[in-house]
Amino acid sequence: MDFKKTYITSDLHLEHRNVIKYCNRPYEFSWEDVAKMNEDILKQFDELPAGSTIINLGDIALNSSLTFDKLKSFVDRMKSNDKKLWLVLGNHDREMNQRIKDLRRFKTPYDLFIALGFDRVFPYPILLENKYLLSHEPVYLKPGNNLVNLYGHTHDCDIPEDYFCHEVENFAMMERVQKEGITQQTNIDVDCDAISDPNKVVELSNYKNMCWDKHHRILKFNEIIE
């Protein structure tokens, strides 16, 4: 994989008015400004080089009145100039085909996002170069390992070292890690029954937040890993 032509982001939350309030995005809390927010984010995709690959770590859009055609227009614009789109499904992506009326004809979120035009769709975290673990929700990594978890989900907040010592929002992702055999890596712990554990502190150097709300831009992959 050519990291010089690869970009990464997460949690765009297109069409989501409440994200303006929750994440202090620089817009008014109005539908008019939601359109401005969408446009500002999509312009960043316009400016990426032709032929590049963009990895999104989940939560593309959120609005109960979304339609397939509206989503398709977003994806088509992201893919302009022969760009490739990868998606690691986020918690909102995994529910979209069930919760939104116009999308219920798709049996699985995978079917939906492939139909929208994503080139690769992953319902589970992916491991690149045996070093970079790309996930939506953060994954617990045992201290002392050499993996780096590039994660989304937490928006403008980096995880604290005791993140996994408390109950956290969504661990459906953990089951997918287990099913896909990524747990063959002995330094990844996906014990779903014991995920809230006061002893599960992490080394923050193993974690990097990829969310749009953290950086307000799409990140170049080779800048992250240098």
Side-chain angles (χ1 to χ4, degrees):
M1 187 170 187
D2 186 354
F3 288 148
K4 292 181 180 179
K5 294 183 178 180
T6 303
Y7 295 79
I8 189 167
T9 190
S10 188
D11 295 83
L12 302 178
H13 280 244
L14 298 167
E15 285 292 289
H16 188 198
R17 186 173 62 164
N18 279 339
V19 78
I20 293 172
K21 176 173 60 178
Y22 297 152
C23 297
N24 296 313
R25 293 194 180 186
Y27 304 95
E28 296 296 324
F29 187 67
S30 68
W31 289 114
E32 291 79 10
D33 267 36
V34 167
K36 293 178 185 176
M37 176 183 75
N38 293 343
E39 179 63 19
D40 287 345
I41 292 172
L42 292 170
K43 278 181 179 177
Q44 295 187 6
F45 283 85
D46 296 342
E47 294 167 359
L48 298 180
S52 56
T53 297
I54 306 106
I55 303 172
N56 193 305
L57 299 182
D59 289 359
I60 294 291
L62 183 61
N63 188 311
S64 60
S65 61
L66 274 168
T67 64
F68 180 86
D69 289 343
K70 182 76 170 181
L71 284 168
K72 188 73 166 63
S73 69
F74 293 153
V75 175
D76 287 347
R77 185 164 171 185
M78 293 177 194
K79 292 191 67 174
S80 63
N81 293 324
D82 197 34
K83 300 184 186 78
K84 301 292 187 294
L85 295 180
W86 291 18
L87 175 63
V88 177
L89 293 176
N91 53 303
H92 293 299
D93 305 321
R94 294 193 288 263
E95 301 170 350
M96 195 176 285
N97 67 306
Q98 298 175 338
R99 298 185 66 177
I100 299 177
K101 184 177 180 181
D102 189 51
L103 307 178
R104 289 176 186 164
R105 64 186 183 272
F106 296 96
K107 292 184 177 180
T108 69
Y110 176 89
D111 295 333
L112 166 62
F113 285 100
I114 288 294
L116 286 169
F118 281 84
D119 298 280
R120 301 190 70 178
V121 177
F122 302 90
Y124 46 83
I126 55 177
L127 192 62
L128 297 181
E129 305 290 319
N130 289 315
K131 182 175 177 65
Y132 306 105
L133 183 67
L134 279 55
S135 64
H136 181 66
E137 295 95 341
V139 175
Y140 176 75
L141 300 173
K142 293 179 181 179
N145 71 77
N146 63 350
L147 291 181
V148 178
N149 183 200
L150 308 182
Y151 66 90
H153 190 58
T154 63
H155 291 272
D156 50 339
C157 298
D158 293 336
I159 66 167
E161 63 181 7
D162 64 347
Y163 180 82
F164 294 98
C165 298
H166 309 283
E167 293 291 340
V168 290
E169 181 181 348
N170 190 317
F171 282 95
M173 174 272 302
M174 291 295 190
E175 297 175 3
R176 291 180 173 86
V177 177
Q178 205 164 32
K179 287 178 182 177
E180 296 304 318
I182 296 177
T183 51
Q184 292 174 4
Q185 296 281 328
T186 57
N187 49 16
I188 303 178
D189 186 338
V190 291
D191 181 357
C192 300
D193 294 330
I195 198 64
S196 177
D197 184 330
N199 298 312
K200 286 194 171 182
V201 295
V202 296
E203 293 178 357
L204 294 180
S205 59
N206 294 121
Y207 293 87
K208 294 190 178 185
N209 183 348
M210 299 292 103
C211 291
W212 193 88
D213 289 300
K214 170 71 175 178
H215 306 279
H216 296 282
R217 64 187 179 93
I218 301 168
L219 302 171
K220 199 168 186 179
F221 201 96
N222 67 342
E223 291 178 357
I224 296 163
I225 64 179
E226 288 176 353

